[in-house]
Structure formats: C-alpha cells, structure tokens
Amino acid sequence: MEPRIRFVKTADGLSIACWEHGEGETLLHLPWLPWGHAQLEWRDSELSVWYERLGSFSRLVRYDGRGSGLSDREADHYGVEAQVADMEAVVERLELDRFAVFASLSMGPAAITFAARHPERISCLMLWCTYANFADYTAAPQVTALRSLLYKDWNLYTEAGARAFVGWERGEAAHKLAELMRQSTTQPIVQQFFADMADADVTELLPELTMPTAVLHPRQFPLIDMAAVLKLTGALPEGRLLLFEGSSLAPTRGDLDGVLGAIQSLLLETAAPLAQALRRASGSVAAPVDDGLSAREREVLGLVAGGRSNREIADVLVISPRTVERHIENIYAKIGINNRVQAAAYAADSGFA
C-alpha cells in the first residue's frame, strides 16, 4: 500500500515531498537524483518490492529532492548545498535524532557533506554506486556519451540512460524506467542539475567521517570505475567495501537478498548497541528467561540478532527458508516484537546473543 505523502519546507522556502514506511531503526533513503517520484515509484513493481522489504526491518524515510517528483520543481540551484538543505528539512521536520543514511549515485556528495556536519546524528552511512568527486563519475565513456544526448534528444537520453542504469538487455523494464524518469523531472532541470554538480568534490571531507561507512557496489556496474570505488573506500576511516554480483544501479536487478541482508546487518550492528544502552539507562529490566521460546527458536533468534538473513539461517541450521520464516513469526508473537532490530535488542538484553 502506498504510504501517505507529507510535505516539509526547506530553509529557502521549497516544498519537499516525503513518506515513511515500516518500523524499527530509522533509515533515511535519499532520492535517486536527478530522478525520482515519491508516489509513482510505489506503482513500479521492482521499486515497491525494494521499499517494502526495506520497511520490513526499518523505519524507512524517503523523499523527493527539489526539482523532482512531487517536490517543488523550480529552484535557483540543485547542487550539493541545495541537496543538503533538502535533507536537513526532512530530518528536522520528522524529528530524526539518530539514523542511518542510504545514498546512491549523485547523492553521495550530499550524504557525505551532511554526515561530516552532523556526525552525532548518523549511526551508519551506506553509499551505493556513488562517489565523492563528480569527475570520477563523468570520466566513464558511457556517461560522456549519455550527457551529450541530454542536450540533443530528451526521449533518447532517458531511454538510453534507463538502459545504462538497469542493463541494456532489459528492454521493457528499461522503457518503464525511462517513462518514470520523464515524469519525475524535466530536461532543463536535469541540465541545470548536472551544471550545478560539475565541480562537486567532497573528497577532503572523507577523513572526517568517523561513523561506520559501507561502500556497497555491484561488481559489473559500468558507470563508476572500480578504481574510484577503491579510492573512496580507502579514504574512509571506518570504511568497508561490500561487493555484489550484478551490473545494475537497481538493487532489484542484482543480488537483492545480499544487498538487503547487508543493509539489515549494518542497521543491527550500529543500532542494537544503542537500543541496549537506552534500555539500561532507562532502568528497563532484562527480559525474563521464561519467555516461551523453544530451544530451536532461541537458536533462530540468536542468528537473527547476529544479522543473518533467512537464507543464511536456513543454511546454518539445515532447514528450509520457509521453516525459518515460521520460526521468526512465532518468535515475534511470543515476545511481542515486529522487526529484526527489536529482536537484536531483546536478544542482547536476554544475554544469549
């Protein structure tokens, strides 16, 4: 079901559309700028799966950046500082105190800038198919070719761009994405967006990022050279590189389970210690031992708390994924929780994870 769209105001007076979905630790999902449409994306079968599954273990917050979707289209500027202003508006209006950030492609520099300015608010930074220096992106031959189309033929540019993002063999899927791209913004805005991004380079901020930062990247993605990916990861004090099979910007077109499992593990790793500390600070009593869980359910709960995916748990315990799902449903019902972050906190408080 499509979530309710809300609107917030930026410091420079623009209206930004956003929505929330799911429960758990907050994950701020930055837009796919210069594209994106907070409402129409939910009507895309692949993007809706992506958001539904992220919302199954997090409080997912997603918004349209200025110039795209349901947000105000016309603005004076669309570069990094403007993108940070959009982020700040959403964060302040929704009162997000501490949260993880997922940023892709051209939103990388803005996410890095925000994290450097507000390190106390970021539990974990996740950088998917992105960069710190815009020149690392525009150096790719395909990007150069696509950019030339932007000033010649809007339809051809979006059709070719969609195929570059999701894979050249994905004809119908790419065509649908191209239609979404055209509905989400306009040719002049995209031209201005790239002009404003031309000198974007936040490389000097990378050493300031002391929070856990994961660089997630499909191995065969053609638009960002692996050397740039390694350079980005190496400059991060707490950086780690997570590579996945695939060639698409769309996580649903590659190792979807692997990417989602990594995101969930990162949320558990960085959020569960905080949840446990908050419980202890508030004087909460540890969960009782007699909680009705069977020995097998405790095994499953321990693995869930450790960040394992359903498939990984099935492999470890030599049972089917469906059996794992049933165990998790029973666990949630017995101890009164509804997501994996809560499961990790419960297991930590109970002393068996």
Side-chain angles (χ1 to χ4, degrees):
M1 184 174 69
E2 295 178 19
R4 180 172 67 92
I5 305 294
R6 301 174 61 181
F7 293 89
V8 303
K9 285 288 185 181
T10 64
D12 53 348
L14 296 181
S15 180
I16 300 298
C18 61
W19 51 254
E20 299 180 50
H21 175 66
E23 296 181 353
E25 290 299 316
T26 301
L27 175 60
L28 180 61
H29 191 305
L30 303 192
W32 310 90
L33 282 184
W35 320 107
H37 197 295
Q39 185 178 58
L40 295 182
E41 287 178 6
W42 278 93
R43 300 171 189 177
D44 179 274
S45 58
E46 292 191 17
L47 282 171
S48 62
V49 166
W50 170 245
Y51 292 138
E52 286 284 6
R53 292 192 61 179
L54 285 174
S56 70
F57 56 79
S58 73
R59 174 196 178 193
L60 182 65
V61 177
R62 162 77 170 78
Y63 66 93
D64 286 337
R66 62 184 64 198
S68 68
L70 296 176
S71 293
D72 281 345
R73 296 287 182 93
E74 300 301 324
D76 294 333
H77 51 102
Y78 301 94
V80 173
E81 288 300 328
Q83 296 163 28
V84 172
D86 295 347
M87 288 182 65
E88 290 175 340
V90 173
V91 167
E92 294 305 322
R93 181 63 180 84
L94 300 186
E95 299 180 341
L96 308 184
D97 294 326
R98 189 170 184 269
F99 50 91
V101 173
F102 179 90
S104 62
L105 212 60
S106 294
M107 286 301 292
I112 291 166
T113 301
F114 184 97
R117 292 178 184 173
H118 308 282
E120 75 286 351
R121 306 188 80 161
I122 308 299
S123 62
C124 179
L125 184 60
M126 307 176 199
L127 303 174
W128 168 260
C129 295
T130 189
Y131 51 83
N133 186 347
F134 188 63
D136 289 335
Y137 175 57
T138 56
Q142 285 193 27
V143 174
T144 300
L146 286 171
R147 291 284 300 281
S148 67
L149 289 175
L150 174 59
Y151 300 90
K152 298 176 181 177
D153 189 316
W154 176 236
N155 283 346
L156 183 57
Y157 169 73
T158 54
E159 293 289 342
R163 280 163 174 75
F165 293 148
V166 302
W168 289 94
E169 75 283 3
R170 308 284 185 178
E172 184 58 29
H175 180 61
K176 289 181 179 179
L177 176 59
E179 290 181 343
L180 177 60
M181 291 164 67
R182 289 190 290 271
Q183 292 180 74
S184 68
T185 190
T186 66
Q187 183 178 16
I189 289 175
V190 176
Q191 290 173 346
Q192 186 61 49
F193 175 88
F194 284 120
D196 291 345
M197 288 291 292
D199 59 352
D201 184 3
V202 296
T203 305
E204 64 180 14
L205 297 180
L206 297 177
E208 301 178 22
L209 302 186
T210 56
M211 70 288 297
T213 304
V215 177
L216 305 97
H217 200 79
R219 294 178 187 274
Q220 295 83 26
F221 185 60
L223 303 186
I224 299 178
D225 187 79
M226 187 56 66
V229 176
L230 296 174
K231 181 176 70 172
L232 171 62
T233 310
L236 293 162
E238 297 297 327
R240 68 181 77 175
L241 177 61
L242 303 175
L243 295 175
F244 304 90
E245 293 304 315
S247 60
S248 174
L249 174 66
T252 52
R253 288 290 176 179
D255 183 7
L256 176 60
D257 288 338
V259 175
L260 288 168
I263 292 173
Q264 185 173 22
S265 294
L266 289 163
L267 285 176
L268 289 168
E269 178 183 325
T270 56
L274 176 64
Q276 186 176 0
L278 290 174
R279 280 178 167 78
R280 289 173 177 170
S282 65
S284 297
V285 179
V289 173
D290 186 16
D291 49 19
L293 296 181
S294 67
R296 175 61 93 185
E297 287 167 348
R298 285 181 169 270
E299 283 184 293
V300 172
L301 179 55
L303 291 168
V304 168
R308 300 294 188 94
S309 68
N310 286 6
R311 168 58 66 181
E312 290 172 330
I313 295 172
D315 291 342
V316 169
L317 300 180
V318 196
I319 56 179
S320 72
R322 179 57 191 145
T323 299
V324 173
E325 291 175 10
R326 286 198 297 270
H327 281 313
I328 292 175
E329 289 171 1
N330 291 338
I331 291 166
Y332 285 5
K334 287 181 179 180
I335 63 178
I337 63 173
N338 55 29
N339 62 62
R340 291 183 180 238
V341 173
Q342 292 174 354
Y346 180 92
D349 286 348
S350 301
F352 66 88

